[in-house]
């Protein structure tokens, strides 16, 4: 069998086979039915892959060595790319490095053959492409980086054809307010609802969200303004990120949710500390020592706003702790909400949504565009300097966009729609009675549409619960 034919067979089996070595999911996800090749591999499987004996050579973990050179935000994507590369090649990381060390030409020949096949794979439009160019590029980038860090190849030696492929920029889906409200409706906890409203109002990146503290927002003000300096934003204020600032007025609904969340979290900390002190006393610790060991469970406004719901044991400290919400957990939350709602809304898409609202309602030149995205002001927007210190101006701008960012302000918007419709009909010479009826019917149809969406979501949830019950217990 020729090498070209071999690679064709490997890729055709990629979505069908399962390797027991790394616990990769089966060919179809039992929950969503998505093809394995396009599926997000569970992080548990990725961790087993990282820590397995197949990743170690001469007592050194080759994969962790590679990860130490990456940004923390890139590790998950690169680990999945490397895992898939090993699966396609039917070789472990250890075997790849051993082959490259002992016979570099043989490894390069093998990878060059794959590079050629992948390049030709996308040239033939008649072939149904079960894998995207973006996925292939990530797989090749992860593998090339892994081999480079482990001293097998030099930068730029591998996959010249794949990396030179013309990959069109992906067009992001832009959610509407109705879509975001659908996610908000499906969020199960107060924290998750607050997180969605927070993103619709303050579209920070996942890492940045985990750094926002209660002390950053004065909830006693009528319109609080959240300001975050460059050191807590992307780039940590270094290089081109120096001088970036995030600033946004907090909507009334977000303020209400945060007040409620703060009360709930305060009560949780109090309860957890009491439970932990009782546990330590039962283990024989004196009261003063138990209180000292549980100081971390004392409420402080310097705590992150978004915390983990878990109360877990810290083996190093010997006590249970409440940790901040991790980036990965935010990603998992949105994965679940995507499955339930059927909407492909990621955490990052809120940035596109808020940017669109600001540019449409306030204009491209408004400084809120840069402040909401934590970008360094450019062009005409750079003349505003530290405009976030002007509370009156910030609130004046925000009031124009608040109905589109506050997920509870829909009734006010509907009144405006009804009044506008009524005035338009009156201007056309329609009688008051007829104009009233048509304006009222317009808003009534909006309510009916929303209620239909709610009904369909509930019916879908019931059906999925029945299917899950049958799958588990009636087989």
């Amino acid at each position: 069998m020729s090498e070209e034919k071999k690679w064709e067979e490997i890729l055709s089996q990629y979505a069908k086979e399962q390797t027991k070595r790394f616990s990769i999911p089966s060919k179809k996800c039992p929950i969503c039915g998505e093809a394995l090749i396009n599926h997000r591999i569970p992080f548990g499987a990725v961790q087993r892959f990282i820590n397995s004996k197949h990743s170690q050579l001469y007592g050194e973990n080759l994969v962790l060595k590679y990860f130490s050179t990456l940004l923390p935000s890139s590790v998950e994507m690169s680990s999945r790319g490397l895992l898939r590369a090993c699966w396609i090649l039917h070789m472990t990381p250890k075997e790849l490095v051993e082959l490259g060390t002992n016979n570099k030409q043989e490894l390069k020949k093998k990878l060059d053959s794959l590079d050629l096949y992948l390049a030709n794979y996308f040239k033939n439009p008649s072939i149904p492409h079960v894998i995207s160019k973006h996925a292939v590029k990530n797989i090749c980038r992860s593998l090339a980086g892994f081999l480079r860090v482990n001293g097998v190849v030099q930068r730029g030696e591998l996959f010249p054809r794949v990396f030179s492929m013309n990959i069109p920029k992906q067009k992001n889906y832009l959610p509407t307010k109705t879509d975001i409200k659908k996610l908000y409706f499906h969020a199960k906890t107060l924290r998750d609802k607050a997180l969605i409203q927070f993103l619709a109002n303050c579209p920070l990146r996942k890492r940045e969200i985990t750094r926002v503290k209660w002390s950053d927002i004065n909830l006693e003000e009528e319109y609080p303004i959240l300001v975050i300096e460059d050191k807590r934003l992307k780039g940590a204020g270094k290089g081109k990120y120096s001088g970036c600032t995030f600033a946004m007025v907090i909507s009334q609904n977000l303020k209400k949710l945060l007040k409620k969340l703060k009360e709930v979290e305060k009560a949780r900390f109090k309860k957890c500390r009491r439970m932990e002190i009782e546990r330590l006393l039962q283990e024989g610790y004196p009261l003063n020592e138990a209180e000292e060991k549980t100081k971390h469970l004392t409420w402080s406004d310097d705590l992150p706003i978004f915390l983990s719901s878990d109360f877990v044991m810290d083996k190093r400290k010997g006590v249970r702790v409440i940790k901040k919400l991790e980036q990965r957990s935010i990603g998992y939350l949105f994965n679940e909400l995507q499955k339930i709602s059927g909407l492909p809304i990621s955490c990052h898409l809120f940035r596109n949504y808020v940017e669109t609202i600001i540019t449409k309602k306030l204009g491209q030149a408004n400084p809120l565009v840069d402040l909401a995205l934590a970008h360094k002001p450019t062009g005409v927007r750079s003349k505003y300097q530290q405009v976030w210190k002007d509370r009156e101006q910030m609130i004046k701008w925000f009031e124009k966009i608040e109905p589109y960012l506050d997920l509870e302000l829909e009734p006010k918007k509907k009144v405006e729609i009804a009044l506008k419709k009524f005035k338009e009909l009156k201007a056309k010479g329609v009688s008051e009675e007829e104009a009233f009826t048509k304006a009222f019917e317009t808003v009534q149809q909006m309510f009916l549409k929303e209620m239909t969406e709610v009904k369909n979501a509930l019916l879908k949830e019931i059906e999925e619960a029945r299917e899950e019950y049958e799958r588990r217990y009636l087989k």
Side-chain angles (χ1 to χ4, degrees):
M1 182 186 294
S2 68
E3 290 245 52
E4 296 290 312
K5 198 71 179 172
K6 178 183 176 183
W7 286 119
E8 185 175 354
E9 187 174 299
I10 290 172
L11 280 180
S12 68
Q13 291 298 313
Y14 187 107
K16 298 177 182 177
E17 292 183 350
Q18 180 185 14
T19 170
K20 296 178 181 177
R21 187 174 294 151
F22 303 133
S23 303
I24 294 176
S26 56
K27 61 179 180 179
K28 294 272 186 172
C29 174
I31 299 172
C32 66
E34 187 180 357
L36 172 59
I37 198 166
N38 298 316
H39 200 282
R40 187 179 178 88
I41 300 173
F43 194 66
V46 177
Q47 286 178 313
R48 287 192 292 275
F49 159 64
I50 294 168
N51 296 320
S52 69
K53 63 181 181 181
H54 305 294
S55 298
Q56 298 179 25
L57 184 64
Y58 306 128
E60 182 179 33
N61 192 308
L62 304 169
V63 180
L64 290 180
K65 181 181 178 181
Y66 167 49
F67 289 167
S68 68
T69 66
L70 302 174
L71 290 171
S73 56
S74 304
V75 168
E76 281 199 39
M77 184 176 70
S78 298
S79 61
R80 290 184 172 97
L82 179 59
L83 194 155
R84 288 180 170 119
C86 291
W87 189 25
I88 290 177
L89 291 162
H90 294 289
M91 296 179 72
T92 65
K94 175 184 174 182
E95 291 168 345
L96 284 166
V97 173
E98 279 183 326
L99 178 60
T101 304
N102 299 329
N103 194 339
K104 182 177 177 180
Q105 290 306 314
E106 180 64 25
L107 178 64
K108 285 192 70 176
K109 181 182 176 183
K110 194 178 188 73
L111 297 179
D112 188 64
S113 177
L114 174 60
D115 182 41
L116 178 62
Y117 175 78
L118 290 173
N120 292 332
Y121 176 77
F122 290 105
K123 285 180 181 177
N124 188 350
S126 63
I127 298 176
H129 298 149
V130 293
I131 187 169
S132 70
K133 286 184 179 180
H134 291 275
V136 164
K137 199 169 184 179
N138 178 50
I139 288 169
C140 295
R141 187 188 296 115
S142 302
L143 179 57
F146 168 74
L147 294 173
R148 176 177 54 80
V149 169
N150 283 286
V152 177
V153 298
Q154 299 296 316
R155 188 183 296 276
E157 273 193 75
L158 302 177
F159 306 113
R161 302 176 189 87
V162 167
F163 292 144
S164 63
M165 284 193 302
N166 180 28
I167 301 180
K169 189 175 179 181
Q170 287 182 311
K171 291 184 179 180
N172 279 336
Y173 150 74
L174 183 65
T176 64
K177 184 177 178 182
T178 303
D179 293 340
I180 294 172
K181 284 187 72 174
K182 205 170 180 182
L183 282 194
Y184 182 74
F185 168 78
H186 285 297
K188 295 178 180 178
T189 66
L190 174 62
R191 184 204 66 187
D192 294 349
K193 285 186 182 293
L195 177 60
I196 293 168
Q197 175 62 85
F198 185 91
L199 284 165
N201 192 159
C202 305
L204 291 167
R205 301 171 181 90
K206 283 187 284 189
R207 178 180 289 272
E208 296 164 349
I209 291 168
T210 64
R211 295 171 177 170
V212 182
K213 303 173 184 176
W214 288 107
S215 56
D216 293 323
I217 305 175
N218 183 358
L219 295 174
E220 299 308 314
E221 293 177 340
E222 184 181 1
Y223 274 102
I225 298 178
L226 172 62
V227 179
I228 301 177
E229 69 284 356
D230 57 1
K231 290 180 181 178
R232 288 195 287 160
L233 298 170
K234 181 180 179 180
K238 297 176 183 177
K240 66 178 182 179
Y241 298 105
S242 176
C244 292
T245 302
F246 172 85
M248 180 57 79
V249 181
I250 301 298
S251 69
Q252 294 303 299
N253 186 47
L254 179 55
K255 186 173 81 167
K256 181 183 75 175
L257 288 168
L258 290 179
K259 277 187 171 182
K260 195 180 292 185
L261 182 63
K262 191 173 185 179
E263 290 175 8
V264 170
E265 291 292 16
K266 276 184 174 181
R268 179 160 76 113
F269 267 70
K270 187 176 180 180
K271 180 182 177 182
C272 288
R273 190 180 188 201
R274 187 178 69 249
M275 289 168 56
E276 195 61 5
I277 288 174
E278 288 174 359
R279 185 185 69 82
L280 291 170
L281 290 174
Q282 288 176 1
E283 291 183 3
Y285 284 89
L287 179 59
N288 60 342
E289 192 174 341
E291 289 176 342
E292 182 66 27
K293 286 178 74 69
T294 57
K295 267 188 175 180
H296 61 283
L297 294 172
T298 303
W299 178 262
S300 165
D301 281 352
D302 285 331
L303 287 165
I305 289 179
F306 297 104
L307 297 163
S308 169
S309 58
D310 297 327
F311 185 40
V312 294
M313 178 62 72
D314 186 321
K315 293 181 180 178
R316 185 174 59 84
K317 294 179 179 179
V319 288
R320 288 181 290 182
V321 297
I322 297 173
K323 296 183 178 179
K324 70 178 182 180
L325 189 64
E326 295 182 356
Q327 283 179 258
R328 189 189 312 139
S329 301
I330 297 173
Y332 290 160
L333 168 63
F334 275 88
N335 286 343
E336 289 302 311
L337 290 173
Q338 284 175 12
K339 291 173 186 175
I340 295 168
S341 66
L343 296 168
I345 301 179
S346 67
C347 185
H348 201 77
L349 281 182
F350 283 85
R351 296 174 65 78
N352 299 354
Y353 172 74
V354 175
E355 181 185 14
T356 303
I357 294 299
I358 294 172
T359 53
K360 279 185 177 180
K361 304 302 174 184
L362 300 176
Q364 189 73 40
N366 193 282
L368 274 185
V369 175
D370 293 318
L371 291 173
L373 301 178
H375 288 168
K376 187 177 285 189
T378 55
V380 70
R381 297 197 293 264
S382 60
K383 71 178 183 180
Y384 286 92
Q385 299 298 324
Q386 296 182 333
V387 70
W388 64 87
K389 293 183 178 179
D390 186 345
R391 284 185 56 81
E392 287 186 15
Q393 183 60 71
M394 288 286 288
I395 292 169
K396 187 177 178 181
W397 283 330
F398 183 73
E399 284 176 341
K400 293 180 180 178
I401 60 173
E402 187 177 13
Y404 305 94
L405 305 185
D406 191 318
L407 302 179
E408 295 288 349
L409 272 188
E410 200 68 26
K412 182 179 176 182
K413 187 181 172 188
K414 287 185 173 68
V415 170
E416 292 171 353
I417 291 169
L419 289 172
K420 185 180 178 182
K421 184 75 173 176
F422 180 84
K423 290 175 183 177
E424 285 176 353
L425 293 169
K426 281 284 292 174
K428 292 178 182 179
V430 178
S431 67
E432 286 185 354
E433 292 78 14
E434 189 177 352
F436 169 83
T437 303
K438 289 188 176 179
F440 186 80
E441 286 176 351
T442 300
V443 177
Q444 194 177 42
Q445 286 170 4
M446 294 172 69
F447 276 116
L448 287 171
K449 184 179 178 182
E450 287 183 2
M451 292 305 295
T452 302
E453 288 177 354
V454 170
K455 179 183 176 182
N456 291 339
L458 289 170
L459 290 172
K460 184 179 178 182
E461 184 74 11
I462 292 169
E463 184 62 30
E464 288 176 351
R466 284 175 180 166
E467 288 177 358
E468 178 68 13
Y469 179 84
E470 290 173 359
R471 186 175 68 81
R472 286 189 177 187
Y473 304 110
L474 301 183
K475 277 190 174 181

